[in-house]
Amino acid sequence: MARQPYVFEEVEVPEGVKVDVSGSKVVIKGPLGTLERDFGNIPVIIRASDGSIIVESYFAGRSEKAVVGTVSGHIKNMILGVTKGWRYKLKIVFSHFPMNAKVQGNQLIIENFMGRRSKIMLNIPKGVKVSTTKDDIVVEGIDKEIVSQFAANVELATTLRGEERISPHGREGGPGVLDGIYVYSVEHMK
């Protein structure tokens, strides 16, 4: 594939959002908070224009074009985070042992997973709010990367592998044990 002389993507900045671009560092301030990110190691040029942010690259091959799209996607997620926020909903699923989850201080504690006496404890990162109900866990925040990574860590902490997944009833060919905590919804807080 031939290189293109100029590739760019323009990200619109809504009203009520302030953007500061200095070199490769982008700071976005909105009604829900402030997010900043440094795109220093990425071969793109980021600049602020009238009501928009332009991500551009010169003499771009396939990978440089992809990087322009990726960086503009990160900036769009930052703008959505400071204006609407991110909410991940997880469902607690069990069939034999009643599992429950609770928040104590800055930790999410999962008890009685597969009848285990040991508790699964996950540290809640700064900037993330976690709430629990009987069979739901709600993870909220403005930084999509931190919120989604914590939701993935909760799901991963209750993932069964290998011999654990074999059906406890001796039946073969079925899906095995489905107990765990699973992400079922991604939405905005506002």
Side-chain angles (χ1 to χ4, degrees):
M1 183 173 129
R3 293 186 172 270
Q4 291 185 344
Y6 180 65
V7 175
F8 77 99
E9 278 201 29
E10 188 173 355
V11 179
E12 294 295 323
V13 178
E15 285 189 30
V17 175
K18 290 178 67 179
V19 174
D20 181 35
V21 178
S22 58
S24 61
K25 186 175 182 181
V26 178
V27 179
I28 299 177
K29 296 178 184 177
L32 296 179
T34 302
L35 289 175
E36 69 178 63
R37 178 136 186 202
D38 189 8
F39 297 100
N41 295 334
I42 300 174
V44 295
I45 300 166
I46 304 169
R47 60 184 171 90
S49 182
D50 297 332
S52 64
I53 300 172
I54 296 174
V55 181
E56 58 191 358
S57 180
Y58 293 94
F59 299 106
R62 181 183 301 192
S63 62
E64 288 85 4
K65 283 175 59 178
V67 168
V68 167
T70 300
V71 170
S72 64
H74 281 296
I75 293 171
K76 288 174 189 174
N77 285 339
M78 290 169 68
I79 291 172
L80 282 172
V82 297
T83 55
K84 296 181 178 182
W86 295 97
R87 176 182 296 137
Y88 278 66
K89 292 183 178 180
L90 295 97
K91 182 68 74 180
I92 300 172
V93 178
F94 56 86
S95 59
H96 295 95
F97 301 103
M99 180 180 11
N100 57 354
K102 61 184 174 182
V103 177
Q104 281 185 347
N106 66 341
Q107 286 190 326
L108 175 68
I109 299 173
I110 302 166
E111 297 174 328
N112 202 30
F113 173 63
M114 295 297 294
R116 297 179 186 162
R117 290 182 180 221
S118 61
K119 299 175 183 175
I120 299 171
M121 297 184 189
L122 299 166
N123 291 327
I124 300 171
K126 187 178 179 185
V128 174
K129 182 183 159 208
V130 179
S131 59
T132 61
T133 61
K134 182 180 177 195
D135 59 349
D136 277 345
I137 299 173
V138 178
V139 182
E140 295 178 336
I142 61 171
D143 192 346
K144 183 177 184 177
E145 291 182 20
I146 294 174
V147 173
S148 63
Q149 183 61 56
F150 182 72
N153 289 345
V154 171
E155 190 170 317
L156 189 63
T158 59
T159 299
L160 297 174
R161 294 167 196 86
E163 291 290 319
E164 294 176 320
R165 195 166 160 81
I166 296 174
S167 176
H169 306 296
R171 288 182 247 134
E172 297 298 324
V177 178
L178 297 176
D179 291 14
I181 300 175
Y182 304 101
V183 174
Y184 72 91
S185 174
V186 179
E187 56 191 35
H188 295 292
M189 294 187 315
K190 283 187 170 184

